[in-house]
Amino acid sequence: MELVGQVGDIIYQNEVNSYTIATLETEEEIYTIIGYMPFIGVGDELKVIGKIVTHPDYGEQLKVETFEKIMPQTLEALEKYLANGTIKGIGPATAKKIIKKFGEETINIFQYEPYKLAEIKGITEEKAILMGQEFNENWEVWQIVGFLEKFGIGPNQAKNIYKELGNDAIEKIKENPYVLVDLARGIDFKQIDKMALDLGMGHNNEKRIQSGIKHSLILVSYNGHTCVLKENLVEFVKNLLGIEKDDIENEIINLKVKNEIVVEKQGELEWVYLKPFYIAENNIAEKLFILQNSQNIKYIPKIEKRLKEIEKNTNMKLSEKQKEAIKMINENNITIITGGPGTGKTTIIKSIIELYKAEEKKVVLCAPTGRAAKRMSETTNEEAKTLHRLLEIGKSNEEDKWINVEERISPIDADVIIVDEMSMVDLFLMNSLMKGIYQGTKLILVGDVDQLPSVGPGTILKDLIISEKIPTVKLDKIFRQAAKSKIILNAHNVNNGQGFIKKDDIKDEELLEDFFYINEQNQDKILYQVLSLSKDRLKKYGDYEFFKNIQVISPTKKGLLGTKELNKALQQELNPASEYKEEKSFAGITFREGDKVMQIKNNYDIFWERKNPEYENGSGVYNGELGIIKKIDETERQVMVKFDDEKIVWYSYQDLEQLEHSYAITIHKAQGSEFDVVIIPVSGTSPMLLTRNLLYTALTRAKKMLIIIGSKNIIEFMIQNSESKKRNTGLKYKIQVISKMGE
């Protein structure tokens, strides 16, 4: 649907991403329009294209897909535009005088003869020239959204491109459309390419080929790769651009000369990197080598005696493997501890804390996410920080963090650093961590290498282990207490490619009944099981309450059993609408008092306070943190959320885009967290999601009870599907080369 009209009122506009709710006054009626609309203000004339959606509270709205600013079509509209404060020095009274004086010539005066504005009382000639400049700058901005839409770039990215290229952005893009490859994420490269060719750029133009190469390297990074085989890259670009291999080879050489890519020879193979990815891998490998080969100044003599004292003082009984791990940590500056659930990783961490605290050494605990850090704090009774907070890199632009791989990181004040959930740490976070570590600091990396890899590029933990250059302890024995849990036994079974344990397999009469599998194929019946278990069956069975103990996790966001639909169904079942509960609808989601919600992006600045056990306050709420909506205040236009760690945060209505319902969350989002009871509905979805390590990761989220509901065939497929997509990385190679050079 296409509408032309004037912006009557801006109801809401997010300053960061320009998500806007406004009214549009057309000749026929007034519409509410919603969407990403940077640069618009009251009085602007717009041509908008979108579709009508129905909001449960506010009725019909036009969801804008793209828009174009147009010159005001009437003198009345032009006066309203000038009066809205867009141009400095012009308010309602001055706007009225300008329209009265110049009438139909007003736009021409601003564009070509701005000095004539000085004929208006109160406007100097200097001010008049500035007003003309500002009017023309705004005109340039008006064009950019409509222009970029031709390249498949939405309004939400147009603002950043304008900031980067300035007022003559359109001319710069026409001159070289491929500049957009470096400035916009998720662009439609084929659209840009078509536009460039239509503008007369030759098929073999060096800008075109270089841009195609860089675009291809960015694409592979979205799948976790840090580099690509040169021959595969050449073949892909050849098909993408329809050109000869020799031309691509030449431009690879030119990009190397311009220092934008790196070609690394590993044996007979050549791997191509975007420069920041290569720098990050190299930084990590070099810093690991330096750290590892520094003097071991934190070495503790008579370690056997100290371990006996710890066992006596803490009632912890250490196995021989755990003692071996602690001795290895004592003898090396870097140590990796890896193993599945129930193999004793946490006991080692607690012992290390006791050991070095007794030596009056500062031990710092950290993890890649807020939830993982919280869990680390709970298991050790010590403060644990997120890596972002520890490294003070919160304010950097996370979307483009790989561009800033050489930014300075403040050194970490610590004698010993323990990083948990290392499987979640990506290339760029590891690069920042290594730059923040002093020589002489002990680094202990703890994680389960068989869990899901990081969302960002790289497979850091795996690469460090298979390099065989970093001292590693693999814990494979399940401790006696843990071996009583069907959850832990089944997790290890799945990880080994075996099915769930059967009754005939059980010999230990003390085995806990903490794992249940319901074989069901029908999606509606699976949904019914999830809802009934969540609402009252588990309450009757074990006094488990949904909002305190239970979490539903799903492999996918989509479909009847994906998180989006599950959240709607669970909200309706567990927290239905009530005259006693306030609601606020935002961007298609109805938030209600009592709702379970999750923070979905890092916000380093938002204020929080905590009242128990004593009052404290601070700033920062992080991606993955879970809480409950306690109050919706329509007068103040705010929502109060109490998070799991007792933090109380007030969100203005415009900040609600940072929250989503968390009755159900994806397995990826659940990584690094534990819940008393976990319910996992499994149904047919993309084979890429139905993998062994996804199922294994899901099983290891439950502490007291795990319930899986789904088709036996799909579960069996997941267990056998161990072919997790291999990621191309060069970190292992770099570690091995640098170690060999140092020998």
Side-chain angles (χ1 to χ4, degrees), residues 190 254 296 300 437 477 499 504 509 515 519 533 544 551:
K190 288 184 178 176
N254 288 333
N296 186 2
I300 299 173
I437 298 177
K477 182 191 171 188
D504 297 344
E509 291 181 5
F515 179 96
N519 182 9
L533 283 163
Y544 294 118
Q551 182 63 56

Side-chain angles (χ1 to χ4, degrees), residues 314-380:
T314 61
N315 284 329
M316 285 191 291
K317 181 67 179 167
L318 297 169
S319 70
E320 288 307 310
K321 195 81 169 178
Q322 287 172 322
K323 288 178 184 175
E324 177 196 327
I326 295 167
K327 288 174 187 173
M328 189 178 282
I329 289 165
N330 187 42
E331 290 161 9
N332 295 279
N333 286 329
I334 309 172
T335 313
I336 296 171
I337 310 295
T338 186
T343 56
K345 298 190 297 293
T346 301
T347 301
I348 292 172
I349 293 173
K350 288 162 83 171
S351 301
I352 290 297
I353 294 168
E354 292 298 322
L355 188 64
Y356 286 98
K357 277 174 73 176
E359 295 287 314
E360 297 186 342
K361 303 297 183 191
K362 184 175 181 181
V363 181
V364 167
L365 309 182
C366 56
T369 66
R371 292 287 299 177
K374 177 175 181 282
R375 180 180 164 202
M376 198 179 189
S377 294
E378 289 169 347
T379 56
T380 61

